[in-house]
Amino acid sequence: MKLSDLGEFGFIDRIRRRAESAGVRLAIGDDCAAVDLPAGELLLTTKDLLIEEVHFRRDWTDLYQLGKKSVSVNVSDVAAMGGRPRYLFLGLAIAAELTVEELDTFIDGVLDAASGYGVLLIGGDTCRSPGPMMISVTVQGTVPEQEMVCRSGAKTGDAVYVSGTLGDSALALRMMLAGKELPNKLAEKHHDPRARVELGRALAAAHIPSAMIDVSDGLVADLGHILEASRVGAKIEIDALPLSREFAEALSRGEASRDLALRGGEDYELLLTVPPDKEGPLADLARHFALDLTRIGQIRDKGTGFELVNAAGSVYAPAEGGYNHFHS
Ligand code: ADP
Ligand code: MG
């Protein structure tokens, strides 16, 4: 079916009929959505844009996975503040050739990811794009006031930890660009990353991180954001970076470089700094919940800068920072 047969309002109604809205004062259908907020909690709001040919290519991307990923990348930002994601707003600029069935597949992905995170789709905007498909997702979450974790709290002497593994998504992208077949694990990390919501909440509720961020632009760039906001430096041990088996194999075959783990984007893992007296509680929590967290370095005074060292102690300079839209 062509979208023109359905029209803007027919399309919105199709979404409205499928979106759950239990407990919401006003969901899709009025000029604004209206919700109640838990007492004593702050409202967190984040937005990410995904543009065809900039963030994804439709010939490589399954629309269902694209729908999921659009949700996950936003939810990841709420997780990085220690928050609980709750509401989703979906802005869509739709390329003319997309069929209603293709859009349904995309919405399936959005709604499946949302329900997996306990998030409700309660609004958005829909229009025609004269060119690429554009997706603008806003996620709102809440966090108890005393539990919010910002980028600015890292102190000299804190340890630096990261969840999961680094570089898998960047390696997947590199392999796709080279026309290579992807191992499942790498394909999943690239096309269907999962936001670390439960981990972020557990860490924040236990008051463990002094600062936290999600790794979306690459470890070097995102740690750089913490260092800048916290006015500190850091020493990272590159041999300590957590790598997946698939990544380590590609590394040993010479098909991946450590740079991909250091500055490749879209890992959506949590990067956090932990004061010395919280490392014990962190180890307890990690054991209890079987969390995969790796200590990769330490925060130092700002004057000592940001250093990457290998086991031999030599300083390693990554080729460049993370992804930057306005650099060529
Ligand atoms: P307005 O003209 O007031 O912006 P719209 O006709 O754009 O209203 O939207 C009507 C209702 O449908 C609103 O509640 C809006 O949030 C919702 N909506 C529009 N597009 C989407 C979408 N892509 N996903 C979810 N809700 C949507
Ligand atoms: Mg509108």
Side-chain angles (χ1 to χ4, degrees):
M1 195 190 335
K2 289 200 296 220
L3 197 56
S4 53
D5 299 335
L6 203 57
E8 177 189 339
F9 301 111
F11 177 68
I12 294 173
D13 200 49
R14 207 174 168 87
I15 297 178
R16 184 189 57 75
R17 280 187 273 117
R18 300 180 52 200
E20 281 173 50
S21 56
V24 177
R25 295 271 192 124
L26 275 178
I28 296 173
D30 213 307
D31 292 316
C32 290
V35 299
D36 294 286
L37 294 176
E41 299 207 10
L42 299 172
L43 178 66
L44 305 169
T45 306
T46 179
K47 167 182 289 297
D48 270 302
L49 287 170
L50 285 103
I51 314 283
E52 187 176 341
E53 299 301 326
V54 178
H55 299 92
F56 63 93
R57 283 177 47 174
R58 273 212 283 126
D59 51 349
W60 286 351
T61 313
D62 170 271
L63 282 165
Y64 177 77
Q65 282 179 331
L66 183 63
K68 288 185 83 176
K69 186 168 178 174
S70 318
V71 175
S72 293
V73 301
N74 277 276
V75 166
S76 178
D77 284 315
V78 174
M81 305 292 290
R84 162 92 36 220
R86 294 180 185 275
Y87 304 112
L88 175 74
F89 297 84
L90 178 63
L92 280 180
I94 301 172
E97 73 278 7
L98 279 170
T99 65
V100 172
E101 289 75 17
E102 286 174 313
L103 289 167
D104 280 345
T105 303
F106 173 79
I107 301 291
D108 285 342
V110 168
L111 292 175
D112 283 355
S115 82
Y117 294 119
V119 169
L120 301 174
L121 174 62
I122 61 169
D125 200 27
T126 306
C127 49
R128 184 175 64 84
S129 167
M133 178 180 186
M134 292 183 263
I135 305 157
S136 162
V137 172
T138 301
V139 167
Q140 293 186 314
T142 61
V143 65
E145 209 165 330
Q146 305 306 320
E147 294 176 11
M148 181 168 71
V149 188
C150 302
R151 298 178 178 186
S152 54
K155 296 272 184 319
T156 296
D158 289 356
V160 180
Y161 283 82
V162 69
S163 67
T165 57
L166 295 172
D168 297 320
S169 177
L171 176 59
L173 183 60
R174 174 187 275 200
M175 290 175 73
M176 285 191 293
L177 285 168
K180 291 192 189 141
E181 197 72 30
L182 287 184
N184 284 343
K185 169 93 189 290
L186 296 183
E188 186 178 305
K189 273 291 258 186
H190 184 76
H191 292 299
D192 186 16
R194 307 288 162 82
R196 296 284 205 156
V197 173
E198 296 311 321
L199 176 60
R201 274 302 304 137
L203 291 167
H207 299 279
I208 286 171
S210 50
M212 190 151 68
I213 192 168
D214 65 321
V215 184
S216 55
D217 296 332
L219 174 72
V220 167
D222 289 315
L223 181 57
H225 295 319
I226 287 186
L227 302 185
E228 197 176 308
S230 302
R231 300 205 188 86
V232 289
K235 180 168 152 184
I236 295 299
E237 287 161 34
I238 59 167
D239 294 313
L241 297 186
L243 305 177
S244 67
R245 186 173 49 79
E246 290 77 2
F247 190 99
E249 282 169 10
L251 196 61
S252 67
R253 286 196 305 269
E255 290 168 7
S257 79
R258 243 168 233 286
D259 255 20
L260 286 176
L262 279 168
R263 62 187 177 84
E266 298 202 307
D267 291 309
Y268 300 108
E269 295 295 345
L270 293 178
L271 176 67
L272 54 144
T273 60
V274 180
D277 64 324
K278 295 290 167 67
E279 284 195 87
L282 177 67
D284 294 340
L285 195 85
R287 224 171 322 170
H288 191 75
F289 291 102
L291 304 174
D292 47 341
L293 285 165
T294 308
R295 193 186 203 275
I296 59 167
Q298 203 159 30
I299 297 296
R300 312 189 298 185
D301 289 340
K302 187 177 172 64
T304 57
F306 180 7
E307 251 183 17
L308 303 166
V309 298
N310 62 18
S314 66
V315 174
Y316 174 94
E320 61 187 56
Y323 188 73
N324 183 316
H325 280 275
F326 301 107
H327 287 169
S328 50

